[in-house]
Structure formats: C-alpha cells, structure tokens
Amino acid sequence: MLERIITQPDNYEPYLLSQAIKFGNLLFVSGQAGAGEDGKIVAGGFRAQGEQAFANLRRALEAGGSGLADVIKVTIFVTDMGNFKEVVELRRQFFTAPYPADTIAEIKALYDPAAMIEIEAIAAIRPHAGS
C-alpha cells in the first residue's frame, strides 16, 4: 500500500506531487531544491541552495519516519558541474558513513530558473525500538 507523506508547508501540492511516498519499509522522496518555506529559491548562491535542499530533504525524510542516516540512494541534479566540490562538501556535512549510493548529473535547467540543485532520495524506514 502506498502512503503519501505530506510536510507543511507543502509547496508541491499545486503540481500534483507528493513530498514522499512510503511503500513498505522504503521511502521515496521527491526532488528537494533550495526553496524556503515561501516556496522561493533562497538567496546566497549554490552553497546556500544546497544547504536548504538538504534541510528540505531531512524534513521530508523525518515526516516519513526516516532520516538522513537511513538514505540508501540519492540522485543529485545540478545545473553546473563546476559546483561538484561543493556537492562533495554538502555530502560530508549531511551524510555519514556508510555514505549512500549516489548519482550526480548536470542538467540544463530545473523547475525554477533560479534553482541550481535538486536532490531526490530513497531511504529505509527502520522499526522504532519497542514497536
């Protein structure tokens, strides 16, 4: 059975997307960009957008009963592979060993012309102690 995961605010609702879908013990998280709670891309360049994208990813994961430590696979889309070193630094900041499997791809554009990074993930949902 598929379960829709919703976070508030839900900037995805108008586009008929789910923040994440839970299926069994897996959580599939939609691409998270560097948008703040107002839905607008944050100022401050690539690093600021990357940190916001990871914060948004964490929020969606936690809403689905998972977390950054449970991420199995990420796909990171960037509009400029010149930011690759920053992506590695973001991975170091937000993930710990064993690091998730990863695909990084440079693409022409994201959903908002100001967006420079988007991260999607598949994560495990671990049973809680005492359940």
Side-chain angles (χ1 to χ4, degrees), residues 3-80:
E3 178 185 340
R4 180 177 180 204
I5 305 301
I6 301 170
T7 61
Q8 295 299 329
D10 184 359
N11 297 322
Y12 288 51
E13 179 65 31
Y15 305 105
L16 307 178
L17 302 175
S18 296
Q19 282 280 341
I21 294 288
K22 181 178 176 180
F23 181 75
N25 291 328
L26 291 176
L27 187 65
F28 298 83
V29 181
S30 290
Q32 303 292 315
E37 288 195 8
D38 61 0
K40 294 180 182 170
I41 299 298
V42 298
F46 184 84
R47 185 61 180 247
Q49 284 191 33
E51 289 178 352
Q52 184 65 52
F54 269 96
N56 293 342
L57 177 62
R58 178 189 293 125
R59 185 172 62 125
L61 288 164
E62 290 174 355
S66 189
L68 289 171
D70 300 312
V71 173
I72 298 165
K73 169 77 169 73
V74 291
T75 304
I76 302 175
F77 302 100
V78 295
T79 57
D80 182 355

Side-chain angles (χ1 to χ4, degrees), residues 60-130:
L61 288 164
E62 290 174 355
S66 189
L68 289 171
D70 300 312
V71 173
I72 298 165
K73 169 77 169 73
V74 291
T75 304
I76 302 175
F77 302 100
V78 295
T79 57
D80 182 355
M81 197 59 84
N83 291 311
F84 182 75
K85 287 183 181 179
E86 288 287 334
V87 171
V88 174
E89 288 303 315
L90 287 163
R91 288 177 51 83
R92 183 174 287 116
Q93 181 179 344
F94 289 96
F95 291 132
T96 56
Y99 296 101
D102 186 327
T103 298
I104 182 167
E106 179 180 288
I107 59 172
K108 182 176 178 179
L110 291 163
Y111 74 99
D112 182 316
M116 295 184 267
I117 183 170
E118 187 169 325
I119 307 163
E120 65 179 29
I122 301 170
I125 301 171
R126 299 180 195 267
H128 296 291

